[in-house]
Amino acid sequence: MIFGTVENIVLDDKDPEKLYKIYVATTTGQTGNTIEAYPLDMTCKKIPVIGEQVMVTLGSNADSNAQKRSSVRNYYISTVGIQSNVNHNALPKLNVKSATSFGNLDGAFAGVPAQTSTPTPHKFGNGFVELKNLSQLQPYLGDVIFEGRFGQSIRFGYTPRNTKQSDNLVDGATIEPSWTSSSPQAPITIIRNGAGFSRGYNKFVVEDINKDDASIYLASKQKLQIKTRPLSLGVTPSAVYENPQVVVTSDRVLLVSKKDAVILSGQTGVYVSTPNWKADMDEMFTQIEQIKNQLTTIATALTAVTTGLSTTARTATAVPAVTTQISKLSTGIAQITTKLQLMKN
């Protein structure tokens, strides 16, 4: 296995044989050597940027068979965390191509980069944006964490206790978790897209359910300190609730069903909170049913009144119009009754 610095990356699909190929400058020999390499794992790809170091190993190529086992090509495994940074780990000075780049041959052979009075900005490759102030997630013992280069992350964690305490085995964490639980071993999975704040370059942060751009929390027995609009009476806030729950939060949440319905089903209720209302759907439909019942009573009473009038009175100008309206009201109430009955469990 060797290490090298990424010089060029193929991002197009013009040649099927060159998908994901990178060109890597190694420091073998006086002038170095540039080799081609491909991802070792095609199901989980981490595309490097120009200037990052990668580990390269040999493996079989597409022409290999039982009689031709010597057919090999280079594969790159992962980028090297030279700067311990999540946005990028480019270190262009490792790319030593020629002894003429240095003030003297002894310095070049020793691998000492030349010093220039006017350093030029590093080119990561077209499209890549460097985030100089991006913080990365605070780890806790045993965590499994995946982080993207721009503030995305997935944490498979739990609720460790006394994380800031140090001993002769572990230097304590900088920041406590933003969630709590009386069951530290209970798992929690946090998907975050867009860090809500930064503590600076190569500093730790924890997920913030109120500040991060968008989050999904899969909690088992954790309390989540999320800020919400006032909830209906009887609803336990997430800051107190300590049973399994899923919390989705962002500036806007849109649910779209492309072929079938969007279904909300609650064992004890479905609650809605808006700037002007906080309602339990059971209670809301119950109130609608009561309005329907009151209208039924009115329609029945009016029908009885008009029916009891004499023939002469019923043929008066105003009475037929009233009778017609009562009939329409009764029909409408019957339709509402049918629909409400279909909604009831």
Side-chain angles (χ1 to χ4, degrees):
M1 183 178 295
I2 60 175
F3 293 84
T5 305
V6 179
E7 286 190 326
N8 187 272
I9 302 171
V10 176
L11 296 178
D12 62 49
D13 60 357
K14 297 176 182 177
D15 186 346
E17 300 298 323
K18 296 182 180 180
L19 298 181
Y20 304 105
K21 181 171 71 173
I22 66 174
Y23 294 86
V24 181
T26 65
T27 54
T28 57
Q30 294 184 10
T31 60
N33 183 37
T34 299
I35 61 175
E36 300 176 356
Y38 299 82
L40 182 65
D41 185 354
M42 292 303 295
T43 62
C44 183
K45 294 177 282 292
K46 181 179 181 181
I47 309 303
V49 299
I50 305 302
E52 288 188 316
Q53 265 209 330
V54 292
M55 296 182 290
V56 181
T57 186
L58 282 175
S60 300
N61 66 13
D63 296 327
S64 299
N65 54 47
Q67 289 75 36
K68 197 178 180 181
R69 296 183 178 179
S70 60
S71 296
V72 296
R73 71 175 180 178
N74 295 306
Y75 294 92
Y76 70 91
I77 300 174
S78 179
T79 56
V80 181
I82 295 176
Q83 301 192 56
S84 300
N85 186 253
V86 70
N87 181 242
H88 75 82
N89 284 276
L91 199 59
K93 290 184 179 180
L94 284 175
N95 190 355
V96 181
K97 277 192 162 185
S98 170
T100 60
S101 301
F102 301 90
N104 58 71
L105 289 177
D106 292 337
F109 294 152
V112 179
Q115 301 298 320
T116 61
S117 58
T118 56
T120 57
H122 175 63
K123 296 181 179 180
F124 297 95
N126 290 335
F128 183 82
V129 179
E130 181 182 18
L131 297 181
K132 297 182 178 180
N133 202 40
L134 180 65
S135 299
Q136 45 202 317
L137 283 184
Q138 167 73 62
Y140 303 110
L141 284 176
D143 273 353
V144 177
I145 299 174
F146 297 91
E147 287 192 76
R149 296 180 185 267
F150 299 96
Q152 318 96 314
S153 62
I154 303 177
R155 183 198 294 268
F156 298 94
Y158 62 113
T159 311
R161 292 176 175 173
N162 304 320
T163 56
K164 286 189 173 183
Q165 294 183 7
S166 300
D167 55 29
N168 60 345
L169 298 176
V170 178
D171 289 343
T174 303
I175 309 172
E176 297 277 2
S178 59
W179 59 92
T180 59
S181 177
S182 59
S183 302
Q185 75 282 1
I188 184 170
T189 301
I190 303 173
I191 303 174
R192 176 195 64 164
N193 187 71
F197 65 101
S198 171
R199 292 184 59 246
Y201 177 82
N202 275 12
K203 294 292 186 180
F204 288 141
V205 296
V206 295
E207 298 91 340
D208 191 312
I209 197 170
N210 296 301
K211 293 181 180 179
D212 294 334
D213 289 351
S215 306
I216 300 176
Y217 283 67
L218 306 176
S220 49
K221 290 185 177 296
Q222 288 79 20
K223 298 176 182 178
L224 306 175
Q225 304 297 322
I226 185 172
K227 298 176 182 177
T228 66
R229 301 199 66 82
L231 302 175
S232 299
L233 294 176
V235 177
T236 304
S238 292
V240 179
Y241 194 76
E242 202 172 15
N243 286 318
Q245 60 179 321
V246 176
V247 176
V248 180
T249 177
S250 187
D251 289 351
R252 178 179 178 180
V253 178
L254 175 65
L255 301 178
V256 176
S257 174
K258 293 191 293 184
K259 290 187 177 181
D260 210 315
V262 174
I263 301 169
L264 299 177
S265 175
Q267 186 68 28
T268 61
V270 174
Y271 300 87
V272 176
S273 178
T274 72
N276 296 317
W277 297 93
K278 50 182 186 294
D280 172 7
M281 292 295 97
D282 271 353
E283 180 64 23
M284 187 179 76
F285 288 121
T286 297
Q287 293 299 320
I288 292 174
E289 185 177 45
Q290 290 180 359
I291 293 171
K292 184 271 300 182
N293 292 337
Q294 293 297 324
L295 290 174
T296 300
T297 301
I298 294 171
T300 302
L302 289 174
T303 301
V305 170
T306 57
T307 301
L309 293 174
S310 64
T311 303
T312 302
R314 285 200 303 272
T315 58
T317 304
V319 173
V322 172
T323 304
T324 300
Q325 293 302 318
I326 292 173
S327 177
K328 290 181 178 179
L329 180 59
S330 299
T331 301
I333 291 172
Q335 293 173 349
I336 294 173
T337 301
T338 300
K339 292 180 179 179
L340 286 174
Q341 288 174 345
L342 292 174
M343 294 181 190
K344 294 185 71 173
N345 291 322

